[in-house]
Amino acid sequence: MLGRHCVIAAAVLAVFALAAIERPLGAQLRPQPVGELPSDVALRLTLRKLGSIGTFMQTTAHPDDEDNALLAMLSHGEGMRTVLVTATRGDGGQNEIGPELFQSLGVLRTEELQAAHRFDGTEQYFTRAIDFGYSFSVEESLQKWGHDEILGDFVRHIRTIRPDVIAGFLCGGEGGGQHHQASALLTVEAFRAAADPARYPEQIRDGLRPWQAGRVFCTDLSTFGARARQTAPTPDLLTVHPAAFDPLLGRTFTELGIEARSMHKCQGTSQLLPLPGAAFARTYRLRDSVIGEPGIAPKTLYDGIDTTLAGLARFTSSPPRPLTEALHKLGAHVTAAQTAAAGGSPDTSIAPLATGLMALRTLRATLGSLALAEISRYEIDLRLARKESQFEQALAIAQGLRLEVLADDGRVASGQPVKLTVIAGNNGRADVRVKSVAIKGFLTDEASGQPATCAGLVKAGAALSCAVETRVGAVPLSTPYWTPRKDAARYDFDPAAPFGAPFRPSPFTATFQFSIGGADVSIGKTVEFRYDDIIAGEKRMELQVVPPYAVAVSPEIAVIPLHAAARGGFRCRVGYRIRSSRIPAHPPPSRRPARIDAAEGDRRSDDAGDSSGVRDGRWRSGAAGDRAAWRDGLAHLR
């Protein structure tokens, strides 16, 4: 109760953006994401990945718990696939840069994780656990999350990702929120459970297969603070030092990890980059293993695990000779491409890459005829499919391709007209042909079943550009696919979304088909909207699907005395944008609706309503259109 007063509170749709930080004149944003490095460097980093089949999975409780330096070292330095599975989205934390809290904060922290991974090169997934705030015990965390459910999520991720090595967060201890220790405990338990087909059999029925990783670690408490000087080393401890300098990246992996970590801005992480000589290393404790000596940490995380292309033969107990010969030839093609890229311009690697891609496709096509067990064939082909995509990416970089698919609006509604610009730029020294561009997420034409696209020859140093006018198809709204439950600190996931992905994948994509070096190459691109910011420069966003019309009421919060003599002349101002219908808007607090006619494409503000006739109680406002209704959440609260 607020005495004889009422509060009008408008809940607005959150727009998540990193706050601009006031900087001295002449200051510049210094971090450079790895994805923005010059093409020759990007090619050589891609070739590192092409030569490795290793997969590393780290698990944590919250965003910012991850070891970014280690992830960067394994991903960029050793070419492995690195995946981070974060139990929660950090929903229960604080926000030092904006008003977002709870689920909105979880969205913001997810965005910050993705920004960090532009530096450390890591894929991101989540479980259904909710960060419900400070946890006083592991038991409390597991009880509120649901032990079996979140364990099942970790098992699902292990069976999907199929990592060689897993590392969780804190092994134990009483300090700090116990989500950290709970996530590590579940990770260690999932290490064995993922290999047991009797555990979570519904996942097996859905098409997943059991998987036994090689070893699992947790992060030892000696990593942090004074404990690092107080704990005597034991045989099960392994300290990983990421301080090596990478000449391709121009920095150490420690420096790259700190740059990645600085993206966690809403948590107040330091924005200062490390000075020369700065180093930090985490210590990991071996908790379980099916290779090596029990209880004895290996010399390196991947000691005894062959991560070369030839190492794919380890997935069969008796590899047939045609398989081993094909794998060695495949490795030779990658080595030849690496040598060519290191000694000349990027396009000198096109010939070995194209030959290697065609050899890989031949191997995949003949796997069924080799004397292989079905599970061996599955494991080998799963990894070869990833290599095929990396071959295509490397060829596109070596050719000097720059691909763009840009829309004229970043927030769109189903049925809305959209203009697309499709560009294929060729910075290479040889001509390249665009065979086709297939665009998804938009209404199709009757003849081709696809929006009109472009094809043709792209001369060296030139670009092919096509304009496409179409309409947005019937696609879901860009809302979080995770919904909090009322009976547990756990989300329900929309089954239509990839399990645990950061967000729903954009439905707006384009697939370019090229012929490079005699090999067919397919490259996917997400449709984007770009705009400029006077402080930050060019900014880009994926297209966000919004309702056909939206209303925002100002002021968002108002206190209105009920006494007529004190009420005065309070008025509401309504701002709206209409995308695909003609609607009347009915804003509060007036009891009499105010009609505002708006045509498609309108975007303006109007005064509507006054405080006369307002009574104590609860009021709702919204907008009604020809085909739908939308409420902005404006409420008159007691």
Side-chain angles (χ1 to χ4, degrees):
M1 288 291 293
L2 296 176
R4 295 287 296 169
H5 293 76
C6 301
V7 176
I8 298 178
V12 297
L13 295 177
V15 178
F16 302 100
L18 298 181
I21 301 174
E22 185 176 347
R23 298 190 295 272
L25 185 64
Q28 297 180 356
L29 183 65
R30 295 188 59 197
Q32 182 185 34
V34 174
E36 297 176 6
L37 293 173
S39 60
D40 59 332
V41 176
L43 174 60
R44 293 169 67 182
L45 290 173
T46 301
L47 292 176
R48 285 181 182 177
K49 289 186 173 295
L50 194 50
S52 172
I53 62 166
T55 298
F56 175 77
M57 172 175 157
Q58 184 171 44
T59 69
T60 62
H62 317 109
D64 93 340
D65 291 342
E66 69 274 6
D67 188 346
N68 299 104
L70 173 63
L71 294 172
M73 182 183 74
L74 294 177
S75 174
H76 299 309
E78 301 185 25
M80 295 186 187
R81 180 191 181 196
T82 54
V83 182
L84 176 65
V85 176
T86 309
T88 77
R89 295 176 186 259
D91 328 61
Q94 296 177 328
N95 184 357
E96 296 198 18
I97 64 172
E100 297 84 8
L101 292 173
F102 306 116
Q103 190 172 15
S104 296
L105 179 60
V107 173
L108 175 58
R109 291 191 172 183
T110 300
E111 292 278 11
E112 290 182 341
L113 271 171
Q114 290 188 298
H117 295 330
R118 294 179 65 200
F119 292 87
D120 64 30
T122 297
E123 301 172 37
Q124 179 66 53
Y125 293 95
F126 296 91
T127 76
R128 292 173 290 170
I130 291 178
D131 178 2
F132 55 82
Y134 193 91
S135 174
F136 293 93
S137 69
V138 170
E139 292 74 21
E140 179 194 33
S141 298
L142 298 181
Q143 185 273 326
K144 289 188 175 182
W145 287 346
H147 169 276
D148 291 351
E149 289 81 1
I150 304 305
L151 173 62
D153 290 356
F154 280 113
V155 168
R156 178 181 293 273
H157 283 308
I158 292 173
R159 287 172 172 173
T160 303
I161 298 163
R162 312 185 86 72
D164 308 298
V165 176
I166 304 172
F169 200 38
L170 296 182
C171 297
E174 302 299 325
Q178 295 288 299
H179 291 168
H180 302 128
Q181 291 83 349
S183 69
L185 184 149
L186 291 172
T187 298
V188 173
E189 186 176 355
F191 172 77
R192 295 279 183 174
D196 184 354
R199 303 290 299 274
Y200 301 97
E202 70 279 4
Q203 298 179 7
I204 307 301
R205 291 193 295 270
D206 289 343
L208 293 180
R209 298 176 182 234
W211 176 252
Q212 180 62 71
R215 50 178 67 109
V216 61
F217 297 84
C218 59
T219 306
D220 193 69
L221 292 173
S222 63
T223 293
F224 303 102
R227 295 188 185 95
R229 298 184 295 272
Q230 299 172 354
T231 304
T234 55
D236 58 349
L237 295 181
L238 170 65
T239 300
V240 182
H241 297 280
F245 178 81
D246 190 319
L248 278 182
L249 298 171
R251 47 200 147 167
T252 68
F253 297 111
T254 296
E255 292 168 340
L256 190 56
I258 293 297
E259 288 180 297
R261 185 173 175 78
S262 72
M263 295 297 103
H264 292 292
K265 298 180 185 295
C266 75
Q267 301 194 56
T269 55
S270 174
Q271 299 301 295
L272 295 177
L273 303 184
L275 296 173
F280 176 78
R282 289 194 184 185
T283 297
Y284 292 92
R285 185 180 296 275
L286 182 66
R287 292 300 306 272
D288 200 355
S289 178
V290 296
I291 55 177
E293 296 184 62
I296 305 297
K299 295 180 180 179
T300 66
L301 289 172
Y302 275 77
D303 188 24
I305 301 175
D306 188 350
T307 62
T308 66
L309 286 171
L312 285 172
R314 63 183 165 91
F315 292 106
T316 176
S317 58
S318 180
R321 183 174 178 180
L323 174 65
T324 57
E325 289 180 346
L327 292 175
H328 279 95
K329 289 180 180 178
L330 201 58
H333 293 312
V334 174
T335 300
Q338 292 172 333
T339 302
S345 62
D347 59 3
T348 59
S349 63
I350 289 179
L353 283 172
T355 303
L357 176 57
M358 290 185 283
L360 182 146
R361 287 171 173 164
T362 299
L363 174 57
R364 292 191 67 193
T366 58
L367 281 177
S369 63
L370 300 180
L372 295 170
E374 192 277 333
I375 186 60
S376 299
R377 188 178 301 114
Y378 171 82
E379 298 294 353
I380 293 171
D381 191 58
L382 182 71
R383 289 156 181 81
L384 287 178
R386 182 173 295 274
K387 295 300 122 181
E388 182 171 355
S389 176
Q390 291 173 350
F391 263 111
E392 292 178 312
Q393 294 168 18
L395 276 166
I397 298 172
Q399 178 63 45
L401 295 180
R402 179 181 173 186
L403 309 179
E404 300 280 5
V405 186
L406 302 173
D408 64 348
D409 196 351
R411 294 181 177 87
V412 298
S414 294
Q416 175 183 332
V418 175
K419 294 180 180 179
L420 304 178
T421 302
V422 181
I423 303 173
N426 178 16
N427 295 323
R429 294 186 292 186
D431 299 346
V432 66
R433 180 168 295 279
V434 179
K435 300 172 69 175
S436 67
V437 183
I439 300 177
K440 294 184 178 180
F442 302 93
L443 298 180
T444 62
D445 62 38
E446 295 180 359
S448 66
Q450 294 285 348
T453 58
C454 56
L457 185 68
V458 188
K459 294 286 188 179
L464 177 68
S465 179
C466 302
V468 179
E469 294 191 11
T470 182
R471 285 182 174 267
V472 177
V475 292
L477 296 178
S478 299
T479 55
Y481 69 84
W482 55 95
T483 304
R485 297 175 62 94
K486 295 182 179 180
D487 59 348
R490 187 172 69 251
Y491 286 116
D492 284 331
F493 283 174
D494 183 345
F499 190 90
F503 299 104
R504 298 178 192 271
S506 173
F508 307 109
T509 61
T511 302
F512 292 77
Q513 299 287 344
F514 297 95
S515 178
I516 302 176
D520 291 334
V521 173
S522 176
I523 300 294
K525 185 76 177 177
T526 300
V527 180
E528 295 179 319
F529 172 69
R530 71 169 188 162
Y531 58 100
D532 64 333
D533 182 280
I534 195 63
I535 300 297
E538 178 178 304
K539 297 178 74 67
R540 295 192 175 212
M541 61 181 287
E542 295 182 357
L543 274 57
Q544 302 295 302
V545 185
V546 299
Y549 44 90
V551 178
V553 180
S554 177
E556 296 177 13
I557 299 176
V559 177
I560 305 174
L562 291 178
H563 193 277
R567 184 176 298 130
F570 173 82
R571 296 186 66 80
C572 230
R573 189 164 183 81
V574 177
Y576 53 88
R577 180 167 185 177
I578 312 304
R579 295 179 180 273
S580 60
S581 65
R582 183 175 182 83
I583 69 164
H586 305 288
S590 173
R591 288 187 301 172
R592 298 181 298 276
R595 181 182 179 90
I596 302 174
D597 288 332
E600 181 174 343
D602 281 357
R603 183 177 186 175
R604 67 176 189 264
S605 298
D606 291 282
D607 288 322
D610 57 37
S611 57
S612 60
V614 173
R615 295 171 299 179
D616 191 10
R618 178 178 293 271
W619 297 77
R620 306 291 297 182
S621 76
D626 295 335
R627 298 187 301 274
W630 182 89
R631 291 189 182 277
D632 65 356
L634 191 77
H636 191 121
L637 305 176
R638 290 182 65 104

